[in-house]
Amino acid sequence: MNIMTVKGFSGKWLFWGVFALLALAALVYTVRPEPVWVDLASVSRGPLEITIKEEGRTRVRDRYVVSSPVAGYLHRVPLEVGDAVIPGELLTEVDPMPASTLDARSRAEAEAKVQSARSALNSTRQKVAAAEAEADLAIRELSRLKALSDDHFVSDERLQQARAAADRAQAILRSARFDEEVMAHELAAARTRLEVSAARETGNGNVERVPVRSPVNGSVLGVARKSEGVIQAGEPILELGDPGALEVVVDVLSFDAVKLSPGVSVRLTGWGGGSLDARVRRVEPVGFEDVSALGVEERRVQVVADITSSPEAWQSLGDGYRVDAEFLLWQSDNVLQLPESAIFIGDGQHQVFRVVDDRAVLTNVSVGRTNGFQTVIQEGLADSDRVVRHPDRQLEDGSRIRVR
């Protein structure tokens, strides 16, 4: 075999060897699985809050319905919603119906009502005395803490709590005094029904008119009867209240209501102004059925919260205004967290697909609290790790991925 024959033979094998390698590479490239398109999320550190957010409404804490003391002819009510009133202010008048002379039984009943109203007034005065003692104690405690705060012996949070307690005590005292005024006027009304004859006429022939006066200091919240006409005794005429004493009422799902208790912090937004601070005062012990906008029957519970921000911050709020209430259940300023959509359950534990060199690596993780969007990561991941969000069934441990 000469040299030319050997060279030709070697070149032929080299050609077919290269051709085979290329064919094998093309075959491997053709049959290998395509990378899975995925969305990624990063593990990060930052603040996290767990809240319950519901829509609520403001409500005047103490409301008073002014009704007609006698059956008769009501004069037109000149007041409009929002008008300010003071105790004793004349609201309207009623021309009484002619009344017959009280018989023995009716007079005994009227006298009993006077005694009942007098007893109710005495009871309310005792409540006022108790509220005054509580308010005085709260004010003295606030003054003491302010003095200690100047020397940095008391924290700002403790001082704010004392200030809120003093405000609540003052509000309770105002409410008790309003009740005392109402009871006093109810006693006067009972005496009027006993002593004044609605059918009596004066010497000049004018029928005696029964005045209807404001029992409290506040504003008109509603007008039940605007026009004049015949009215029955006890029929509502006006609704009064103090718009400066507001509370927030939130209808919360019963599933969430069990997580709330008096003292839980509340953040109020969505009312047209800045964020306001509030605190839960009462969680109603009775639930009720409500139908959502989608027609789903839900069990809800009323939660009442007091606004603790300064009145200057919410002076434009009124009765029946809409607010968004966020109940703060838990918070942290710096915690390792991950989107909830990246976590799934596998082999009885929480797992994620961590991205390593463009491949999805199945990783077990230990999780903590979650707010439905972000979840606390306790073990298994580090800050700045990248994971697959919304993993599908195509992904397996070691699968190649491609970011959308």
Side-chain angles (χ1 to χ4, degrees):
M1 184 179 295
N2 57 27
I3 296 176
M4 293 299 295
T5 304
V6 173
K7 288 182 178 181
F9 182 78
S10 300
K12 183 184 297 184
W13 278 104
L14 179 61
F15 169 77
W16 286 110
V18 172
F19 180 79
L21 289 175
L22 293 176
L24 180 61
L27 179 62
V28 171
Y29 182 81
T30 301
V31 299
R32 72 171 181 172
E34 289 289 331
V36 181
W37 291 90
V38 296
D39 295 320
L40 300 184
S42 298
V43 182
S44 61
R45 283 191 172 273
L48 182 63
E49 292 182 346
I50 296 179
T51 61
I52 298 173
K53 187 173 183 179
E54 291 284 356
E55 181 178 318
R57 64 189 182 281
T58 58
R59 183 177 68 184
V60 171
R61 183 180 295 115
D62 301 305
R63 311 174 75 94
Y64 303 92
V65 177
V66 179
S67 57
S68 176
V70 296
Y73 192 83
L74 175 70
H75 287 243
R76 185 174 178 82
V77 178
L79 297 174
E80 301 288 346
V81 174
D83 289 346
V85 295
I86 59 176
E89 179 180 347
L90 181 64
L91 304 177
T92 186
E93 292 179 323
V94 178
D95 293 337
M97 294 287 188
S100 60
T101 303
L102 294 177
D103 56 22
R105 186 185 68 177
S106 299
R107 180 169 295 277
E109 290 177 351
E111 291 175 351
K113 288 181 180 179
V114 171
Q115 295 298 328
S116 175
R118 184 180 291 113
S119 299
L121 178 59
N122 292 334
S123 175
T124 304
R125 285 172 176 169
Q126 295 300 316
K127 294 179 181 178
V128 170
E132 288 176 346
E134 293 290 339
D136 181 65
L137 177 61
I139 291 175
R140 285 190 280 116
E141 176 68 10
L142 178 61
S143 300
R144 184 181 70 84
L145 292 179
K146 282 183 178 179
L148 294 176
S149 176
D150 294 338
D151 297 330
H152 304 288
F153 287 112
V154 177
S155 65
D156 292 340
E157 182 179 0
R158 182 66 184 88
L159 185 61
Q160 291 176 1
Q161 292 177 352
R163 185 175 289 109
D167 292 341
R168 287 195 297 271
Q170 289 292 333
I172 294 174
L173 176 59
R174 290 197 302 269
S175 176
R177 286 174 176 169
F178 285 153
D179 291 340
E180 181 183 12
E181 295 174 359
V182 172
M183 291 299 105
H185 286 282
E186 288 187 356
L187 176 59
R191 286 173 175 170
T192 300
R193 287 192 291 270
L194 177 64
E195 299 172 359
V196 178
S197 172
R200 186 179 63 206
E201 295 186 357
T202 60
N204 57 12
N206 294 327
V207 178
E208 178 187 11
R209 292 179 177 178
V210 178
V212 180
R213 302 185 182 275
S214 171
V216 295
N217 184 20
S219 299
V220 178
L221 301 180
V223 180
R225 284 289 302 268
K226 181 70 176 177
S227 301
E228 61 182 19
V230 176
I231 189 170
Q232 299 299 320
E235 186 174 340
I237 302 175
L238 293 167
E239 188 175 14
L240 307 179
D242 181 11
L246 287 180
E247 61 187 8
V248 178
V249 182
V250 187
D251 295 339
V252 180
L253 290 173
S254 59
F255 175 82
D256 294 326
V258 298
K259 305 173 186 176
L260 303 177
S261 61
V264 171
S265 297
V266 187
R267 184 166 54 240
L268 304 178
T269 57
W271 60 277
S275 177
L276 300 176
D277 295 327
R279 196 168 295 276
V280 173
R281 184 175 85 244
R282 183 176 69 255
V283 180
E284 297 288 352
V286 179
F288 61 94
E289 187 174 279
D290 189 22
V291 179
S292 68
L294 300 177
V296 179
E297 293 184 356
E298 300 172 335
R299 300 300 302 182
R300 290 188 173 268
V301 176
Q302 277 197 347
V303 179
V304 182
D306 293 323
I307 303 175
T308 57
S309 296
S310 61
E312 292 78 10
W314 50 274
Q315 59 182 352
S316 58
L317 271 178
D319 179 55
Y321 282 36
R322 175 196 176 278
V323 296
D324 290 330
E326 288 186 87
F327 300 91
L328 184 58
L329 303 180
W330 179 86
Q331 65 176 351
S332 177
D333 295 330
N334 186 19
V335 65
L336 191 67
Q337 55 188 287
L338 181 67
E340 175 74 15
S341 58
I343 304 173
F344 59 94
I345 302 295
D347 296 331
Q349 56 186 344
H350 294 88
Q351 295 178 332
V352 298
F353 280 109
R354 184 165 56 94
V355 178
V356 179
D357 297 332
D358 294 331
R359 291 186 177 275
V361 178
L362 189 63
T363 305
N364 295 329
V365 294
S366 177
V367 301
R369 296 177 179 268
T370 179
N371 61 6
F373 299 98
Q374 296 288 117
T375 301
V376 175
I377 300 299
Q378 297 175 337
E379 294 179 357
L381 295 174
D383 193 5
S384 300
D385 279 349
R386 295 189 305 164
V387 296
V388 177
R389 176 179 289 183
H390 302 293
D392 56 27
R393 296 184 178 181
Q394 296 180 0
L395 275 180
E396 297 180 353
D397 188 18
S399 298
R400 292 189 307 120
I401 61 173
R402 182 176 298 172
V403 181
R404 287 191 176 92

